[in-house]
Amino acid sequence: MTVPLFPLHNLVLFPGVVLPLYVFEQRYRALLLDTQASGEPFGIVQIVETSEEVSTPFHERISRVGTLAHLQQAETHEDGTSTIVVVGGERFTVQDFDFSKPYLSAEVALWPLEDALPGQEEMVQASARKLLSDLLRLRPTEADLIRANAPEDSMLLASFVAGLLPSLSPQQREDALRAPGLLDRLDVLLGAVPRDMKLMN
């Protein structure tokens, strides 16, 4: 499948996460119009290197792994800019780029998480509980709000925590998105918890 790409600096979209965006560049205004007309999702990928850091072409400075963004709301303002809300869908890998539109597009292949092996489900659930516990300790003043909004599903919980862990770097978010299976993703996120926090536990 071919999807428009919306590259963002230092941002990784995870499945199930709701993300508000402000669309102001002309090329992304065109992307939004095409997305609204087709009803199909677009892809969000992380910009891993800026033009200030390297002089390579734009498409060589973005991640080859991203997440489909399903448009939920869109409000266009008088100046032509838009405020939109998307929700993360399936993970994908970029197979090839398409330069035929004002914005960058790509031929992508969906990349679902590997199924848990027999006996791993309990490990997944235990890791998810540990991750939520660590997050609550890291953000004690928001504990009640976090508990109220934390999903029960382990995959959605991993996505939820990935957006709230204050210690998580853009590269660690990228590593978490790229993790082959859910247990691997949880391990990446747990590995991002500060060492003193692990000792407290």
Side-chain angles (χ1 to χ4, degrees):
M1 61 187 297
T2 300
V3 298
L5 293 183
F6 198 130
L8 293 167
H9 187 56
N10 289 342
L11 191 144
V12 174
L13 178 64
F14 285 88
V17 170
V18 175
L19 176 68
L21 292 171
Y22 180 59
V23 181
F24 59 93
E25 288 187 53
Q26 289 293 342
R27 55 182 166 175
Y28 298 123
R29 295 185 194 185
L31 180 154
L32 177 59
L33 287 173
D34 288 350
T35 297
Q36 290 175 305
S38 70
E40 297 296 321
F42 59 91
I44 288 182
V45 292
Q46 181 174 210
I47 299 173
V48 293
E49 293 179 304
T50 66
S51 57
E52 289 77 21
E53 295 169 326
V54 295
S55 59
T56 52
F58 181 53
H59 69 282
E60 295 181 9
R61 295 187 278 106
I62 65 174
S63 174
R64 293 298 186 101
V65 175
T67 305
L68 293 181
H70 296 268
L71 186 64
Q72 302 295 296
Q73 300 175 30
E75 179 183 358
T76 301
H77 310 298
E78 290 184 0
D79 61 359
T81 64
S82 297
T83 302
I84 68 174
V85 176
V86 301
V87 62
E90 300 89 337
R91 178 177 64 172
F92 63 79
T93 59
V94 172
Q95 306 296 299
D96 197 12
F97 290 104
D98 178 353
F99 305 98
S100 63
K101 300 285 180 64
Y103 48 81
L104 186 64
S105 296
E107 179 70 24
V108 304
L110 298 184
W111 184 21
L113 287 171
E114 295 177 358
D115 292 333
L117 297 174
Q120 277 192 338
E121 190 55 42
E122 289 185 4
M123 297 170 62
V124 166
Q125 293 175 4
S127 293
R129 288 193 298 269
K130 176 70 167 56
L131 186 61
L132 179 59
S133 175
D134 285 348
L135 177 64
L136 291 170
R137 286 184 171 87
L138 282 169
R139 306 186 73 152
T141 60
E142 303 161 88
D144 290 342
L145 186 61
I146 289 172
R147 286 194 188 94
N149 289 281
E152 292 187 10
D153 179 83
S154 296
M155 186 197 72
L156 294 178
L157 180 64
S159 296
F160 175 77
V161 174
L164 294 176
L165 267 183
S167 55
L168 202 62
S169 70
Q171 182 58 56
Q172 287 169 320
R173 286 188 172 89
E174 182 82 11
D175 292 342
L177 183 66
R178 289 174 173 266
L182 180 54
L183 186 59
D184 305 293
R185 180 171 293 170
L186 290 165
D187 285 346
V188 171
L189 295 172
L190 284 167
V193 175
R195 180 171 175 78
D196 56 349
M197 174 59 63
K198 293 177 183 176
L199 293 174
M200 287 173 58
N201 294 338

